[in-house]
């Protein structure tokens, strides 16, 4: 399956950092940390997302480089995209959406994607 980035319109959403950024671990046994194609550490941030109807979801968002945000802070993901993924294990199919942002900044701060 080819993964095509799906842009997310964040203008009608409110994001709050729920867990401070931490490096994404690829292998728990070895402690290997995920890096992007440029060798930068990929950080994982858990955000609560509220839409205009008051529905709230928790999502993990990956970004390269450590975002300067902390838990409880209102934030804005810049250049947020979703990727649909699919895998089969033991004959059982699973799928979901993973999220990636060019950066995550405190709400009200202007940043380029």
């Amino acid at each position: 399956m080819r993964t095509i980035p799906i842009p997310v319109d964040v203008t009608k959403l409110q994001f709050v950092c729920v867990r401070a950024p931490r490096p994404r671990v690829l292998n728990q046994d070895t402690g290997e940390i995920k890096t992007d194609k440029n060798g930068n550490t990929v950080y994982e941030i858990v955000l609560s997302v509220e839409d205009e109807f008051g529905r709230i979801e928790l999502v993990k968002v990956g970004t390269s480089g450590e975002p300067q945000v902390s838990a409880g802070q209102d934030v804005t993901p810049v250049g947020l995209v979703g990727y649909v993924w699919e895998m089969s294990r033991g004959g059982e199919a699973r799928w979901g959406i993973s999220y990636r942002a060019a950066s995550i900044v405190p709400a009200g701060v202007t940043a380029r994607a």
Side-chain angles (χ1 to χ4, degrees):
M1 181 166 113
R2 193 173 137 196
T3 56
I4 300 171
I6 303 165
V8 177
D9 180 4
V10 300
T11 58
K12 293 186 179 179
L13 302 171
Q14 182 179 4
F15 297 86
V16 177
C17 179
V18 175
R19 187 180 74 199
R22 56 174 84 167
R24 177 150 185 234
V25 178
L26 281 179
N27 185 323
Q28 295 290 340
D29 296 331
T30 65
E32 180 184 3
I33 302 295
K34 182 175 177 78
T35 56
D36 65 12
K37 62 185 174 188
N38 297 322
N40 299 314
T41 300
V42 173
Y43 282 80
E44 190 172 79
I45 302 95
V46 177
L47 304 176
S48 72
V49 183
E50 183 175 2
D51 68 13
E52 60 189 310
F53 304 106
R55 294 180 295 217
I56 299 174
E57 297 283 335
L58 287 177
V59 296
K60 287 183 183 178
V61 179
T63 189
S64 295
E66 186 173 6
Q68 299 303 305
V69 297
S70 57
Q73 187 173 21
D74 288 347
V75 297
T76 302
V78 178
L80 183 63
V81 294
Y83 293 91
V84 176
W85 58 267
E86 180 179 7
M87 65 187 275
S88 181
R89 186 177 286 167
E92 201 170 307
R94 294 179 45 186
W95 69 274
I97 301 173
S98 61
Y99 294 94
R100 183 136 172 95
S103 63
I104 297 177
V105 298
V109 173
T110 304
R112 286 188 283 158

